[in-house]
Amino acid sequence: MNKILLLFALVALSACMTTVQKAKSKFDVAEYETAIKLYKKHLSSNPPDAPITNYQIGECYRLSNRIKQALPYYQAASEGRAKASKLNFYMGYALKANEQYAEAAALLDRYSKTGADGDLMRLAAQEAKNLKEIEKIKNTPSYTTIVNLENLNTSAAEFSPMMYGEKLIFASDRRKEKVFETTGTGFQDLYAFEFTDTIRHTGSVQPFFGENINLDGHHESEVTFARNGKFMIFARSNSGKKKEPHQDVNLFSSRLEDGQWTEPELLDKVCLEDTWDACPALSPDGRTLYFSSNRKGGSQGGLDIYVSRLNQGTWSRPQNLGKLVNTAGDEMFPYVAPDGRFFFASSGHQGLGGLDIFVIDTVQVGIDTVTKKPILQPKVRNVGVPMNSSADDFGIVYKSKVSGYFSSNREGGKGDDDIYYFYNDSLDVKKTVAYYLRGVTYSTNFKNEQKILPNVSVKLLDDKGNLIDSLLSDNSGKFSFPKPVEIDKNYKLNGQKINYLKGENVFSTVGKGVDVALLPKKENIIYFDTDLLLKVNEFAPSDSTPTGKPTTKILELEILYEFDSARITAEAGVLLDEFSTFLIDYYKEFPNTVIELGSHTDERGSANYNRRLAQRRADSAVKYLISKGIPADKMIAKGYGEDQPKIKNAKTEEQHQANRRTTIRIVK
């Protein structure tokens, strides 16, 4: 959608012109879509002037409000070292439109220091500064839901909605009675959408204005109505075909008389002959008119918003709204909500890209030392996501206190500009937050080898041991308690499963509460994550014996001793350390158990010597465990020597090593 309705003229082209000359001629009269095709045709022949041709294509897209599409051509121009002094400036904005914010900030910052145009350098410096606020804008809490009006929107442009009773008036180029050469789309007309269901946003487009309003070969858009519905002001472009009182886009008024809108009249007290004046917005009382203009008087740069007031039937001389609203960028689509809040769209304030929607808030900046009353000051605020995006977002209108419509050409729409419904409950919301505890159950053996443990019985207890909730972890070991937990409390988790020692975990929510005001939704859920570890019961009975009776598992430790020595080596110490940790937890559940540490040798050497060596080694292992806190009366050292080989008649060194082992079993 070309938001700036441009004057265009027909230019006779000589048959002898080259393709690039024809393209330039079309460019000069703002027929950008035709110029793009001609420039691309010229570019296909790989001319030596490819860098500047790419730049011109980028300019065509930018000037027809498609700057996002301009980026690859600007980049090609830059790589080709095109001699275009404003290239980096415009490429910075194209990068921003494509959400490449860091790259855009760097390029604009560079232009602000090395550019050739003083006004653009100042604008680049401001925009580079604005881009640093992107993440803050994107992360601002929002309570807004938006919905594409799919029953209204088409592949053409639909934009600038305005309420008229229960109807939604909007502008669109869907009729396509002829092509507008600036964008390659149709001319814009005003339409009405009549709702059949305001909840599902269904309805149909109906004729609303007569042929005296929607003229062939003209753009008509951006309408505003007086409260009584009998007076309107809208924007209309010049046709470019003949001498007309207005030479660009201007504002026209019409009255409803006997059910028909009168012949529109130029607001000659407001508009200037050679300026672009559009985007009208009447205040709720109908006595103040806001609009956007490119006039120079008092301008802050680009398009500014002006105000004119009705006095004894005559509109006053427009005044620039000043630096609070207007910037060196473009300010457009003003709107005064029924509650008096002032909205507008801008590319110059801190935004996400293209046009963003802004509102003027009244904020407290201090306290009057004399009256003790708060000092209030207006401040411009970006309304944030999801209403704003990296595309053009503009033309807001309220239907109720918390709902309304706006326009956007963001991705995901039906085509070009679309109209969206929004609902914002932030005015009446009381935000809540609920905290829940979830986690995963794991198993570990005495060697600290962990894996997911499914189907664990998990209990949640308060700090006094009272049961709050219980459940089973799923096949992935995951669990999530359905009952919420409280902030600044301590909790206990207990886990149980057959053949595993009980798992315990203490979880504290002390100091973990969040500021509800910073949360993004009306109803918020925050999960605390934790793990619950259950140790394998290494002495758990095996499934069965040949007689069908369960037996106690015999655990084997690969404790390696030096030749003819009972000394605990460093490697053996690590293994016994791990085993002692398991025993400490085991004895908490089974305090009366007595275990035997049996030491075995290989079959080489005499049987008596091997039994004595094995006993010394078993004694060494028991003494080491005692040093780690295991009670002496819970362990028996037994030297078996070569009496119980794991592999009888061992031949290889590997087999001999398998026989040199320590076994652990429960004896009581």
Side-chain angles (χ1 to χ4, degrees), residues 498-499 537-544 549-553 666:
I498 295 175
N499 295 338
N537 184 352
E538 306 290 354
F539 298 126
S542 58
D543 292 339
S544 66
K549 296 181 180 180
T551 61
T552 299
K553 185 188 299 181
I666 295 175

Side-chain angles (χ1 to χ4, degrees), residues 203-222:
S204 59
V205 175
Q206 302 291 338
F208 186 73
F209 298 104
E211 294 182 355
N212 64 326
I213 302 297
N214 290 325
L215 301 180
D216 284 352
H218 294 256
H219 291 292
E220 287 85 21
S221 65
E222 303 142 15

Side-chain angles (χ1 to χ4, degrees), residues 216-233:
D216 284 352
H218 294 256
H219 291 292
E220 287 85 21
S221 65
E222 303 142 15
V223 64
T224 182
F225 297 94
R227 183 180 295 172
N228 62 10
K230 296 182 178 181
F231 176 75
M232 72 172 178
I233 297 175

Side-chain angles (χ1 to χ4, degrees), residues 378-417:
K379 182 179 180 181
V380 171
R381 174 176 61 85
N382 187 304
V383 301
V385 294
M387 293 186 68
N388 285 327
S389 68
S390 61
D392 284 328
D393 308 288
F394 58 98
I396 188 174
V397 60
Y398 272 79
K399 177 184 179 181
S400 69
K401 185 178 180 181
V402 295
S403 67
Y405 306 92
F406 72 101
S407 319
S408 178
N409 64 353
R410 66 187 62 192
E411 293 183 2
K414 295 190 72 174
D416 207 328
D417 294 316

Side-chain angles (χ1 to χ4, degrees), residues 564-575:
D564 197 24
S565 172
R567 187 177 71 86
I568 300 297
T569 64
E571 293 82 358
V574 171
L575 189 61

Side-chain angles (χ1 to χ4, degrees), residues 319-596:
Q319 299 294 317
N320 190 292
L321 279 189
K323 293 182 178 180
L324 175 65
V325 171
N326 295 317
T327 69
D330 292 330
E331 280 68 45
M332 309 169 69
F333 298 95
Y335 171 71
V336 184
D339 62 5
R341 288 180 299 162
F342 186 80
F343 291 83
F344 63 99
S346 172
S347 66
H349 287 278
Q350 295 173 348
L352 299 176
L355 292 171
D356 272 19
I357 299 172
F358 295 84
V359 63
I360 296 180
D361 289 332
T362 300
V363 298
Q364 182 176 330
V365 295
I367 299 292
D368 189 291
T369 56
V370 177
T371 65
K372 305 302 180 183
K373 293 182 178 180
I375 301 173
L376 303 178
Q377 181 175 301
K379 182 179 180 181
V380 171
R381 174 176 61 85
N382 187 304
V383 301
V385 294
M387 293 186 68
N388 285 327
S389 68
S390 61
D392 284 328
D393 308 288
F394 58 98
I396 188 174
V397 60
Y398 272 79
K399 177 184 179 181
S400 69
K401 185 178 180 181
V402 295
S403 67
Y405 306 92
F406 72 101
S407 319
S408 178
N409 64 353
R410 66 187 62 192
E411 293 183 2
K414 295 190 72 174
D416 207 328
D417 294 316
D418 277 3
I419 294 175
Y420 291 79
Y421 168 81
F422 71 88
Y423 179 83
N424 188 320
D425 61 1
S426 62
L427 297 176
D428 303 309
V429 71
K430 181 180 179 182
K431 287 191 286 186
T432 61
V433 57
Y435 301 92
Y436 292 90
L437 184 60
R438 65 186 181 186
V440 180
T441 51
Y442 293 88
S443 70
T444 181
N445 58 22
F446 76 92
K447 295 181 181 180
N448 290 325
E449 297 168 336
Q450 291 188 15
K451 63 180 181 179
I452 296 292
L453 183 63
N455 305 316
V456 176
S457 175
V458 185
K459 293 181 179 180
L460 178 64
L461 312 170
D462 63 19
D463 57 355
K464 295 180 180 179
N466 299 312
L467 179 66
I468 298 174
D469 210 347
S470 63
L471 46 70
L472 278 178
S473 63
D474 64 18
N475 290 334
S476 299
K478 295 180 180 179
F479 64 89
S480 181
F481 289 105
K483 292 183 180 180
V485 295
E486 299 178 31
I487 293 300
D488 295 330
K489 298 282 187 180
N490 293 313
Y491 295 91
K492 294 180 181 178
L493 286 170
N494 284 343
Q496 287 184 299
K497 187 173 182 177
I498 295 175
N499 295 338
Y500 293 86
L501 302 182
K502 293 178 182 179
E504 291 186 350
N505 186 13
V506 176
F507 188 86
S508 176
T509 62
V510 175
K512 295 182 179 179
V514 299
D515 185 350
V516 180
L518 300 178
L519 295 176
K521 300 177 182 178
K522 180 178 179 180
E523 297 177 350
N524 299 274
I525 293 177
I526 291 178
Y527 288 98
F528 295 129
D529 293 298
T530 188
D531 295 333
L532 184 59
L533 200 63
L534 277 68
K535 291 186 176 182
V536 176
N537 184 352
E538 306 290 354
F539 298 126
S542 58
D543 292 339
S544 66
T545 64
T547 62
K549 296 181 180 180
T551 61
T552 299
K553 185 188 299 181
I554 297 178
L555 181 66
E556 292 189 357
L557 298 183
E558 297 177 356
I559 300 177
L560 301 180
Y561 294 92
E562 297 169 318
F563 178 74
D564 197 24
S565 172
R567 187 177 71 86
I568 300 297
T569 64
E571 293 82 358
V574 171
L575 189 61
L576 288 172
D577 286 344
E578 294 170 344
F579 184 64
S580 67
T581 302
F582 160 74
L583 282 178
I584 290 171
D585 291 330
Y586 180 82
Y587 279 124
K588 290 178 182 177
E589 288 190 45
F590 306 99
N592 297 322
T593 301
V594 177
I595 64 173
E596 175 195 272

